[in-house]
Amino acid sequence: MVQFNRRTFLSLTAGLTFAPLTRSLAAIPSRPPLLRHEPFTFLFITDTHLQPELNANAGCHTAFLKARTIPADFAIQGGDHVFDALGVNAGRATMLMDLYKRTANDLTMQVHHTIGNHDCFGVYTKSGAQPTDPFYGKKYFEDQFGQLYYSFDHKGVHFVVLDSIGITADRMYEGRIDAQQLVWLKKDLAAQPAGTPIIVVTHIPLVTAVEDYDAPPEKPQKHHGISVVNAHEVLPLFDTCNVIGVLQGHTHILERVDWHGVPYITGGAVSGNWWHGTRYGTPEGFMVVDVENGVLKTRYETYGFQSVDPHNT
């Protein structure tokens, strides 16, 4: 074993420059002190994928009946209300939305809605729909639920609900926060008093590790749909304010990834593995979110659904 004394070390390192330790810490955000807020509970109910097949209607009914027994101030629907408006004709799309709205009456609480990719009508050419159709694309969602992206306040916490669906020129979709929405998001965040606790909601995840354990598709995908392709433009906005959590859907898994002090929490799915059982161990369910002292505490509630055609992953 070679031994070095101080003189030998100094001679070997002469002329070398060492970066100060603080440089490696410079990227860690410095946020203002968190403002106080009242504690409360809400539900994050995502990926219902309501359809008449696979006993999905009964499944949603059971999930919503259980959800309304949990003391909560409101619910946030995380997207993909129906399955599927992307590639069906107008008659089928109308039937699906009517079915969803009738079933959602079971919740009996205020619901804030997030657009999902399957909530866009006629985008796939196989639907037979034309872009000139009066509720083509996102208009299908807007006509039923209102704004595509928006914010609201509750008991001292600011909520931001994003539209993460980018419809491409070749009539497909990708995960994207478009330029107009980015401008709005910057203004919305900047308008909050310094230290305001903020919760962000997106259907397609901004941050996820799912591609590390999900089996790769048999055929390479033309567009990036598993996460938001321009998340690098969004995440820096959260470094200057007090985002205490980001809630996500789309992948039907339970997952938490922390980045720059922000937990990115993917909330499973009411439909589990698209009504075929469990998705990488995540059963059919929804998330209960307790917010207290600037911290999100979550638990996942299942409701006992049994698939009539199980294909667990």
Side-chain angles (χ1 to χ4, degrees):
M1 182 175 67
V2 179
Q3 294 183 337
F4 293 98
N5 57 30
R6 182 174 181 273
R7 180 176 296 175
T8 303
F9 175 79
L10 291 175
S11 67
L12 289 173
T13 58
L16 297 179
T17 301
F18 293 92
L21 180 61
T22 53
R23 282 188 63 186
S24 64
L25 303 178
I28 298 177
S30 177
R31 297 184 173 94
L34 194 72
L35 295 180
R36 295 181 65 181
H37 67 87
E38 296 180 58
F40 62 94
T41 298
F42 70 95
L43 308 180
F44 183 60
I45 299 174
T46 190
D47 293 86
T48 47
H49 287 274
L50 198 52
Q51 61 185 47
E53 298 81 17
L54 296 173
N55 212 21
N57 187 35
C60 277
H61 175 73
T62 304
F64 291 165
L65 288 181
K66 180 170 185 178
R68 78 182 192 187
T69 68
I70 298 170
D73 288 10
F74 59 88
I76 295 179
Q77 215 286 3
D80 282 357
H81 298 63
V82 301
F83 191 75
D84 160 74
L86 281 168
V88 299
N89 62 33
R92 170 79 178 185
T94 299
M95 179 273 292
L96 290 173
M97 187 57 71
D98 288 346
L99 182 61
Y100 175 82
K101 298 199 84 170
R102 288 198 307 273
T103 308
N105 287 333
D106 293 334
L107 277 172
T108 63
M109 67 177 72
Q110 182 182 18
V111 181
H112 300 277
H113 296 273
T114 313
I115 187 171
N117 48 295
H118 292 288
D119 300 326
C120 300
F121 166 65
V123 174
Y124 294 165
T125 54
K126 69 179 182 179
S127 69
Q130 298 300 316
T132 53
D133 190 290
F135 64 12
Y136 176 80
K138 297 179 183 182
K139 194 68 167 56
Y140 175 76
F141 175 91
E142 289 180 282
D143 282 357
Q144 300 296 328
F145 303 117
Q147 294 173 290
L148 296 173
Y149 53 90
Y150 57 95
S151 60
F152 65 94
D153 299 295
H154 186 75
K155 293 184 175 178
V157 176
H158 186 65
F159 284 79
V160 178
V161 180
L162 298 176
D163 167 13
S164 57
I165 315 304
I167 296 177
T168 63
D170 59 350
R171 297 183 62 170
M172 301 292 287
Y173 78 87
E174 64 180 0
R176 181 175 293 277
I177 308 297
D178 64 30
Q180 181 178 348
Q181 187 177 178
L182 274 173
V183 171
W184 171 85
L185 179 59
K186 291 175 185 178
K187 290 181 178 179
D188 184 81
L189 295 177
Q192 306 314 310
T196 299
I198 298 169
I199 296 173
V200 178
V201 180
T202 175
H203 178 68
I204 297 181
L206 287 165
V207 175
T208 177
V210 68
E211 288 179 297
D212 291 330
Y213 48 81
D214 189 12
E218 296 180 3
K219 181 180 178 181
Q221 302 297 300
K222 187 175 182 180
H223 300 286
H224 187 78
I226 201 70
S227 61
V228 172
V229 70
N230 65 325
H232 62 279
E233 296 181 287
V234 181
L235 302 191
L237 303 180
F238 301 163
D239 286 346
T240 58
C241 56
N242 290 77
V243 176
I244 61 175
V246 177
L247 294 174
Q248 313 175 134
H250 190 54
T251 59
H252 297 219
I253 57 172
L254 281 176
E255 180 188 64
R256 172 173 169 152
V257 180
D258 285 59
W259 171 251
H260 280 201
V262 177
Y264 293 80
I265 302 167
T266 307
V270 170
S271 62
N273 190 32
W274 290 265
W275 301 111
H276 288 290
T278 60
R279 166 76 165 156
Y280 291 115
T282 301
E284 303 84 358
F286 57 89
M287 187 166 280
V288 181
V289 185
D290 296 317
V291 188
E292 187 171 4
N293 296 324
V295 176
L296 269 64
K297 294 182 179 179
T298 64
R299 71 178 189 271
Y300 195 64
E301 291 281 348
T302 58
Y303 59 93
F305 182 79
Q306 297 294 319
S307 173
V308 297
D309 185 22
H311 297 283
N312 298 330
T313 57

